[in-house]
Amino acid sequence: ERLHAVEAFSNSFEFSAQLERDILLSDMSAFKAANPDAVFEDFIRWHSPGDWLNDDGKENGPSGIPAVEDLKENWPPQGRLSQRMSEHGNLWRKIWNEAPAVSASEQKPLLDPNREGEKILHYLETLRPNDLLEQMVGTAFRASADTLNHTHFGALKQMAMKMDQLYITMSSVLKPLQANNLSGDSETIEDLRRLCVVFEHVEKLLTVAASLHRKFLQAPRISEAIFSDFYDFYLPKMGRGSGQEDVQMEFDMKLRLRNHERQLVSNMFMPPTANQSWRKVLSMGNLLNGHEPILREIIFSSSDHVNGGHYAPSTPRAYQQEIETYRMYICGTSNDLRVALSVTSCD
């Protein structure tokens, strides 16, 4: 509203200066009431610390305001006003000299809440539907991005980079909405559709990142390795648009676990309940906290004294102990057994 008012006036500088004067006059009056012995330099150090230069060349602190300890040790402060505040006829000093000492509670409010509320209601009553739609679209995208950005996913650099790219893309796509010249076949509509696709892919990546971060909170190395491999696997699919088919979530990765990580992974599998305890009888081997493994390697070894065989020594009367090893690689459950490979070796 202030920008429109500035454009309406022929001399925008005078109007802007008047707005600045009203705000400064209110702040200076309240400052004088709270600090009766204050001078103009005190107000500058409080209201605009960048316009106060210390003699030692040090800054006033990270926020531009001196620390309490420094104020106690170095009081009164040694310094000078900036060139902008030292010029003859400076507007700030002129307002300071004219400002009365009136507390903020006794001043006339700069903002009339009842009047501003009525103006807001009038604006909503006279708002055109297309303007309302454009504002809702921009607000919805920004709120959605902020919701995604508040999700905790740890120190996953790829995910942080994707979130930064999302805000940049969103800013460039939503900027033309301010032109108020949209049509049903405009390029902006297609850009909005593509932006929805980008949101969909970022949300899928974020879902995996947040899940890994939550499961491997005590072992971030595992979550970073798994997400990095999944990111490389999923990245080529992000340029194919929004598809209804399910993305195959299986990818090949092997990671050697450390000792403390082994226990963490084992704890992810909850022990069986009382109703599931009967599965121990029907299972084909040891369970991992009550869960059957999907792959097994079963090894049978037998030792025997052989004579005259292919692996027997050249001396006919010598006997040698030979170990025959049978390896079977199987996949299945207690009700379904499939042998993938069977190998026999003599050691």
Side-chain angles (χ1 to χ4, degrees):
E1 183 182 356
R2 290 184 176 182
L3 290 177
H4 289 302
V6 170
E7 295 175 357
F9 282 81
S10 57
N11 193 340
S12 60
F13 177 78
E14 293 182 1
F15 183 81
S16 177
Q18 182 62 36
L19 292 177
E20 182 183 18
R21 178 185 176 86
D22 295 339
I23 297 175
L24 282 176
L25 182 62
S26 175
D27 290 344
M28 290 179 177
S29 298
F31 188 85
K32 282 185 175 181
N35 306 275
D37 299 330
V39 295
F40 178 67
E41 288 76 7
D42 297 329
F43 177 79
I44 292 300
R45 285 195 301 270
W46 170 74
H47 193 279
S48 181
D51 288 313
W52 178 260
L53 305 177
N54 294 325
D55 289 341
D56 54 5
K58 296 182 180 180
E59 297 181 357
N60 290 333
S63 60
I65 302 176
V68 177
E69 292 77 6
D70 296 338
L71 289 177
K72 294 180 180 179
E73 296 177 0
N74 303 319
W75 188 263
Q78 303 297 322
R80 63 188 185 279
L81 296 174
S82 64
Q83 182 179 359
R84 182 172 75 101
M85 291 298 173
S86 302
E87 294 177 351
H88 178 71
N90 180 266
L91 179 63
W92 284 43
R93 184 177 290 275
K94 182 179 179 180
I95 299 175
W96 171 266
N97 295 333
E98 299 175 354
V102 182
S103 62
S105 59
E106 298 177 357
Q107 295 181 22
K108 179 182 178 180
L110 296 176
L111 181 70
D112 185 357
N114 295 329
R115 178 173 175 269
E116 297 300 328
E118 293 176 355
K119 292 166 61 176
I120 291 174
L121 294 178
H122 175 73
Y123 171 78
L124 294 176
E125 291 173 351
T126 59
L127 183 63
R128 295 183 300 176
N130 62 318
D131 295 338
L132 177 60
L133 178 61
E134 293 163 6
Q135 295 183 21
M136 291 176 61
V137 169
T139 304
F141 273 110
R142 180 55 187 263
S144 301
D146 291 343
T147 301
L148 294 178
N149 197 30
H150 281 93
T151 305
H152 298 285
F153 51 83
L156 300 177
K157 298 180 180 179
Q158 297 96 329
M159 193 66 248
M161 180 182 63
K162 274 299 173 186
M163 290 303 305
D164 294 340
Q165 293 177 356
L166 176 63
Y167 278 97
I168 297 175
T169 304
M170 184 175 58
S171 177
S172 61
V173 172
L174 298 180
K175 188 175 183 180
L177 291 178
Q178 302 176 0
N180 297 329
N181 57 355
L182 299 181
S183 59
D185 55 350
S186 64
E187 295 181 359
T188 306
I189 301 299
E190 294 299 327
D191 292 339
L192 290 176
R193 291 194 178 99
R194 286 189 288 267
L195 181 59
C196 292
V197 175
V198 173
F199 261 89
E200 179 183 350
H201 290 305
V202 172
E203 186 176 8
K204 288 183 179 179
L205 285 175
L206 188 62
T207 301
V208 177
S211 177
L212 291 173
H213 173 66
R214 183 181 180 88
K215 291 180 173 63
F216 300 102
L217 191 60
Q218 304 299 328
R221 187 184 73 94
I222 300 179
S223 61
E224 293 176 4
I226 296 178
F227 183 79
S228 178
D229 192 67
F230 173 74
Y231 182 83
D232 297 337
F233 168 81
Y234 186 74
L235 189 62
K237 303 179 182 296
M238 296 184 65
R240 300 179 184 178
S242 178
Q244 298 297 333
E245 67 277 0
D246 294 334
V247 179
Q248 187 68 21
M249 301 295 288
E250 296 181 1
F251 48 98
D252 186 18
M253 189 197 73
K254 294 182 179 180
L255 179 65
R256 185 179 296 274
L257 299 181
R258 299 168 183 173
N259 291 334
H260 71 282
E261 296 172 343
R262 290 173 178 265
Q263 184 63 35
L264 178 64
V265 175
S266 177
N267 293 337
M268 293 175 58
F269 297 90
M270 301 300 295
T273 61
N275 295 333
Q276 297 173 336
S277 59
W278 60 271
R279 296 185 57 187
K280 295 183 178 181
V281 181
L282 301 178
S283 60
M284 301 182 303
N286 297 328
L287 302 180
L288 178 59
N289 289 348
H291 297 269
E292 291 187 86
I294 59 174
L295 296 176
R296 295 173 179 81
E297 177 186 7
I298 301 178
I299 302 177
F300 300 96
S301 299
S302 63
S303 59
D304 192 8
H305 294 281
V306 297
N307 181 21
H310 177 74
Y311 297 99
S314 56
T315 306
R317 296 183 179 179
Y319 292 92
Q320 181 178 355
Q321 186 178 19
E322 187 175 83
I323 300 177
E324 294 183 354
T325 303
Y326 303 89
R327 291 179 173 88
M328 290 192 304
Y329 299 88
I330 67 174
C331 177
T333 62
S334 58
N335 298 324
D336 181 17
L337 177 63
R338 289 170 290 174
V339 178
L341 177 63
S342 179
V343 181
T344 303
S345 60
C346 297
D347 303 323

